[in-house]
């Protein structure tokens, strides 16, 4: 058993859940030290070329912990280089597995779909979480590299600080895109940010949910070809700052009962003509929205009471769900849309 730099050590091997190219499977046979080569099937610490698997908890004695001493290995000498960050190409956290990051540490991810290698093309998800990722106050940074089309996130995971992109001194790193995959859920405790102006996050191409669950957060405005959210969940505390308008292609879930000035934020429902969209809450019984536009198949409110000042029905139907009440207080504009549902829709005259 040995740490980085030692010339003698015992290797522990086990069968992983998934076949990897040049794989790094966590063995956890010695301790929780990320830099202990005896904890890795590849006998060295991962770097930006590593496809990392944290297997089910039953397959290791010690869960991995990324702390102030954790780093990445040099590809040539296999010795630890710098402890300012941890690097991987891809990461899979299997069911029941746990990966913990201690406060302030940074993880850089360099992989994505359709990456060309000398052995041929590799298709993979950059970050797939079926287990538990404990982010501390650490940072996870996704960097689109070379011929990689985008970084991707699958499964259900929670980040503290999430960064897309990096400084691009190398022309192979021109810009970065992070794409949330079908069925994924990403919870953010602190911030989402972009390193450069042409870095993007795609939260709308596939059905997914991005949830703001921290204190005093800013809901970002997505940009480029990826404006809008598929499903957006607002479950934070303190004061949550919203963008000038929010485009929704899936569901709007509002669980924050104070400090959320959503009343003054226009909400645009732009789902596909085949998509049913919903306004939901696990906490609130009532909600007020100032401006709502519907341009899709249909939007259903399942809140006990939803008050809308201005409703613009461009296409599709706005529905009151079972036992739900929708109150329209000011302006109803109809181009090619309808009101409906199994609940109650009430028209109230505006205050004069």
């Amino acid at each position: 058993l040995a740490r980085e730099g030692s010339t003698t050590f015992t290797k522990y091997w086990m069968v992983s859940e998934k076949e990897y190219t040049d794989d790094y499977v966590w063995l956890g046979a010695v301790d929780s030290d990320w830099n202990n080569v005896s904890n890795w099937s590849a006998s060295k610490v991962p770097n930006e070329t590593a496809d990392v698997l944290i297997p089910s908890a039953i397959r290791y004695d010690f869960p991995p912990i990324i702390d102030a001493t954790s780093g990445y290995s040099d590809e040539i000498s296999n010795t630890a280089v710098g402890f300012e960050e941890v690097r991987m190409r891809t990461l899979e956290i299997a069911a029941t597995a746990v990966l913990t990051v201690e406060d302030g540490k940074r993880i850089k991810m360099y992989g994505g779909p359709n990456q060309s290698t000398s052995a041929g093309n590799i298709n993979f998800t950059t970050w797939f979480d079926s287990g538990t990722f404990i982010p501390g106050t650490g940072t996870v940074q996704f960097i689109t590299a070379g011929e990689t089309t985008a970084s991707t996130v699958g499964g259900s995971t929670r980040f503290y600080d999430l960064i897309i992109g990096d400084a691009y001194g190398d022309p192979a790193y021109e810009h970065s895109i992070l794409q949330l995959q079908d069925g994924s859920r990403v919870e953010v405790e602190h911030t989402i940010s972009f390193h450069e102006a042409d870095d993007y996050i795609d939260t709308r191409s596939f059905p997914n949910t991005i949830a703001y669950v921290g204190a005093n957060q800013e809901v970002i405005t997505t940009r480029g070809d990826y404006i809008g959210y598929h499903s957006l969940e607002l479950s934070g505390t303190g004061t949550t700052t919203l963008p000038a308008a929010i485009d929704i292609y899936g569901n709007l879930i509002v669980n924050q009962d104070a400090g959320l000035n959503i009343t003054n934020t226009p909400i645009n429902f732009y789902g596909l003509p085949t998509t049913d969209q919903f306004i939901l809450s696990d906490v609130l019984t009532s909600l007020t929205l100032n401006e709502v536009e519907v341009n899709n198949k249909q939007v259903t409110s399942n809140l006990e009471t939803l008050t809308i000042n201005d409703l613009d029905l461009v296409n599709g139907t706005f529905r009151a769900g079972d036992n739900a009440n929708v109150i329209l207080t000011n302006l109803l504009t109809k181009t090619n849309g309808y009101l409906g549902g199994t609940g109650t829709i009430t028209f109230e005259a505006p205050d004069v």
Side-chain angles (χ1 to χ4, degrees), residues 63-282:
I65 296 176
I66 295 174
D67 61 20
T69 68
S70 303
Y72 58 92
S73 66
D74 179 81
E75 183 66 20
I76 298 175
S77 64
N78 297 339
T79 57
V81 178
F83 299 106
E84 72 279 4
E85 65 195 31
V86 166
R87 294 182 177 184
M88 291 172 271
R89 181 169 66 171
T90 67
L91 171 65
E92 180 181 350
I93 305 173
T96 74
V98 178
L99 173 59
T100 300
V101 177
E102 295 193 347
D103 291 350
K105 197 64 181 181
R106 182 181 298 260
I107 299 174
K108 284 188 175 183
M109 305 298 300
Y110 288 85
N114 305 320
Q115 181 163 323
S116 297
T117 70
S118 58
N121 292 331
I122 302 174
N123 298 306
F124 42 65
T125 300
T126 310
W127 181 290
F128 194 89
D129 187 357
S130 297
T132 301
F133 177 67
I134 302 174
T137 58
T139 298
V140 178
Q141 187 170 354
F142 289 89
I143 303 163
T144 304
E147 297 183 33
T148 301
T149 56
S151 298
T152 53
V153 171
S156 180
T157 199
R158 174 176 285 219
F159 299 117
Y160 184 76
D161 282 327
L162 173 61
I163 298 178
I164 297 94
D166 202 358
Y168 302 115
D170 186 338
Y173 300 82
E174 294 181 355
H175 66 277
S176 292
I177 300 171
L178 177 63
Q179 185 177 78
L180 274 59
Q181 296 295 281
D182 192 352
S184 63
R185 175 181 173 84
V186 171
E187 298 177 352
V188 180
E189 294 183 358
H190 192 222
T191 64
I192 302 175
S193 61
F194 305 98
H195 199 282
E196 303 290 342
D198 55 355
D199 296 325
Y200 305 105
I201 184 170
D202 178 5
T203 60
R204 75 176 225 199
S205 291
F206 299 101
N208 65 76
T209 299
I210 188 161
Y212 290 84
V213 298
N216 303 315
Q217 292 179 277
E218 179 181 354
V219 177
I220 65 165
T221 300
T222 56
R223 55 194 182 180
D225 295 330
Y226 309 103
I227 294 176
Y229 293 86
H230 189 83
S231 289
L232 173 64
E233 179 181 324
L234 302 172
S235 295
T237 59
T239 300
T240 299
T241 303
L242 299 175
I246 300 175
D247 297 346
I248 304 291
Y249 291 79
N251 302 327
L252 174 65
I253 306 104
V254 182
N255 291 325
Q256 185 170 343
D257 59 358
L260 179 67
N261 191 17
I262 197 170
T263 301
N264 296 322
T265 302
I267 308 294
N268 306 310
F269 289 93
Y270 290 155
L272 297 174
T274 56
T275 301
D276 293 334
Q277 297 179 260
F278 294 89
I279 301 174
L280 305 166
S281 180
D282 299 321

Side-chain angles (χ1 to χ4, degrees), residues 290-304:
N290 188 40
E291 297 179 27
V292 174
E293 179 181 324
V294 176
N295 190 2
N296 61 1
K297 179 185 177 184
Q298 65 181 24
V299 177
T300 300
S301 171
N302 284 338
L303 289 167
E304 184 177 315

Side-chain angles (χ1 to χ4, degrees), residues 296-316:
N296 61 1
K297 179 185 177 184
Q298 65 181 24
V299 177
T300 300
S301 171
N302 284 338
L303 289 167
E304 184 177 315
T305 302
L306 174 65
T307 301
I308 301 176
N309 293 330
D310 296 340
L311 177 60
D312 186 4
L313 299 175
V314 178
N315 281 293

